[in-house]
Amino acid sequence: MSPKIAVLLPCYNEEAAIAQTVAGFRAALPDAVIYVFDNNSADRTVEVARGAGAIVRAERMQGKGNVVRRMFADIDADIYVMADGDATYDPESAPAMVARLVDDGLDMVVGTRVHEAAEAYRRGHVLGNRMMTGILAKLFGRSFTDIFSGYRVFSRRFVKSFPVLSEGFEIETEMSVHALELKMPVGELETRYFARGEGSESKLSTYGDGFRIGRTIVTLYRIEKPMLFFGIIAAAFALLSVILAIPLGVTYAETGLVPRFPTAILATGLMILAFLNLFAGLILDTVVRGRREVRRLAYLSFPAVGAHSP
C-alpha cells in the first residue's frame, strides 16, 4: 500500500506564483493531496489556488509559525511535503526527497538550496544561515547545511510529535532543533532555488529577520543548554564580585577595617546573584532533560515510515 502524501503550501499574497507552484507539485507528485493554507492574503491567492486544483484552508493568526501549527494539526498523512507558495523551490526534487525519506527510514529531509541567481538568496540571510548552522552544531554536535530552508519532507511521527511554538519565520529553526534534540534520523538533498517571479514580493526583512535570528540564538542557549547559559552569567557575576572584593580584602589585611561598606555590600550581592544563577541552571537542566524525555516518548508513539508495510 502506497503511503498517503500531503503537500503543504503556506501562503500570504502569492497570487502571482501559487498556480505555478501547485501545478509543479501536481506534476511531480500526482498521487499527493495538495493543500494551500492562506494566511490573510489581500490578493487573489485563494481563488487562484482553488482554480489550480488545490484544497484551500485558512489560518487567521498572522505568521508562518501559526500556519505551520495549523497545517500539522489538521492534516493527516503518512508523508508531508512542505514548501513555500512563491515558486522558488523546485517541485521536481520532491519525489527524490520522498524516496530518500522512505528508503533510509528518516523523519525529515531538508531541501538544501542551490541558487544560481544572486537575487534568489540575500547575502545577509547567507550570513545568518552560517551563524545558526554553527550554533546548532555546537549545541547538538551536528547540524544542517541549510537551516532556514522551507522545503522539507517529514514523516508522520515528526509532524505529530512537534509542538510548534514559533509564530513567524523562526519556524524552520525550531523544526531543525526538534529533530536534533530528539536525535531523529534526518537527511539533506540538494535542490534548485529560484528567484521570485515578476509580481511576487518577498515577505522577509534582512534586518528584522537578523534580529529574530539573534534572539533565537540566545533563546536556544537558554532553553536547550540552561546550565551553560546561566553558568556564563554566574561566572560573570562572580568575577565582578571578586574584582570588587580584592581591594577590600587587601585593606582589611593591612588595617583590620572595611571602610567602603557600599562596595562590600555590592560585592556580596553580586556573589549571591552568581550562586542564584548557578542553581537556576542546575534546576532548569533537570527540567529540560525531563521535557526531552516526554517529547521522545511522544515521538516514539507513532510508527516509523514504512513500518506498516510487510
Side-chain angles (χ1 to χ4, degrees), residues 83-104:
D84 294 338
D86 55 11
T88 55
Y89 292 111
D90 184 13
E92 294 181 3
S93 299
M97 293 172 69
V98 170
R100 175 78 184 279
L101 186 88
V102 175
D103 294 344
D104 293 350

Side-chain angles (χ1 to χ4, degrees), residues 3-310:
K4 181 180 178 182
I5 301 175
V7 176
L8 309 178
L9 303 173
C11 284
Y12 175 63
N13 291 340
E14 296 295 355
E15 174 187 352
I18 188 59
Q20 177 185 346
T21 305
V22 172
F25 280 102
R26 176 72 68 201
L29 298 170
D31 296 328
V33 181
I34 300 178
Y35 296 88
V36 170
F37 275 73
D38 180 67
N39 196 204
N40 302 315
S41 294
D43 60 7
R44 297 180 59 252
T45 296
V46 171
E47 291 85 349
V48 174
R50 284 202 179 106
I55 298 174
V56 179
R57 304 279 179 85
E59 171 52 54
R60 298 306 176 196
M61 295 178 64
Q62 198 69 39
K64 187 175 181 180
N66 292 321
V67 179
V68 171
R69 184 184 302 111
R70 181 70 178 273
M71 293 191 306
F72 284 5
D74 290 0
I75 305 305
D76 189 49
D78 298 312
I79 297 173
Y80 299 78
V81 179
M82 189 182 79
D84 294 338
D86 55 11
T88 55
Y89 292 111
D90 184 13
E92 294 181 3
S93 299
M97 293 172 69
V98 170
R100 175 78 184 279
L101 186 88
V102 175
D103 294 344
D104 293 350
L106 306 178
D107 287 305
M108 180 172 70
V109 175
V110 179
T112 302
R113 293 170 288 185
V114 178
H115 55 284
E116 297 178 356
E119 62 270 21
Y121 203 9
R122 301 178 189 178
R123 185 175 300 175
H125 294 163
V126 173
L127 177 60
N129 206 336
R130 291 175 179 172
M131 287 176 56
M132 186 60 72
T133 297
I135 291 294
L136 292 188
K138 188 171 183 179
L139 281 173
F140 300 103
R142 58 180 182 143
S143 187
F144 297 93
T145 304
D146 190 357
I147 293 297
F148 299 134
S149 174
Y151 195 9
R152 302 178 184 230
V153 176
F154 307 99
S155 68
R156 174 180 172 82
R157 65 179 181 177
F158 180 101
V159 167
K160 297 305 181 182
S161 69
F162 178 41
V164 183
L165 302 177
S166 299
E167 296 183 357
F169 284 98
E170 312 93 292
I171 184 65
E172 282 88 5
T173 303
E174 189 181 354
M175 290 174 179
S176 301
V177 169
H178 180 64
L180 296 174
E181 181 186 35
L182 298 187
K183 295 179 171 54
M184 295 181 184
V186 296
E188 295 179 295
L189 196 68
E190 288 190 350
T191 178
R192 290 181 296 173
Y193 188 65
F194 308 110
R196 282 177 171 265
E198 185 177 350
S200 178
E201 296 182 0
S202 175
K203 317 305 184 298
L204 301 177
S205 168
T206 300
Y207 296 105
D209 292 337
F211 173 76
R212 283 194 290 269
I213 290 169
R215 184 178 63 186
T216 301
I217 291 173
V218 175
T219 301
L220 280 175
Y221 269 106
R222 179 176 58 83
I223 294 177
E224 303 301 336
K225 299 291 183 180
M227 191 62 238
L228 175 63
F229 181 83
F230 288 100
I232 291 174
I233 297 175
F237 278 132
L239 178 62
L240 184 56
S241 175
V242 170
I243 291 174
L244 292 174
I246 287 176
L248 297 178
V250 172
T251 301
Y252 180 78
E254 293 175 348
T255 65
L257 301 174
V258 183
R260 291 178 290 173
F261 277 104
T263 303
I265 294 171
L266 177 59
T268 303
L270 289 172
M271 189 58 72
I272 292 173
L273 287 174
F275 276 99
L276 286 175
N277 276 276
L278 178 63
F279 283 109
L282 289 170
I283 293 169
L284 290 175
D285 192 63
T286 303
V287 173
V288 167
R289 181 180 178 86
R291 180 176 59 87
R292 189 174 295 126
E293 290 173 353
V294 170
R295 294 173 69 177
R296 179 73 182 177
L297 290 174
Y299 160 77
L300 293 174
S301 67
F302 296 96
V305 173
H308 58 280
S309 303

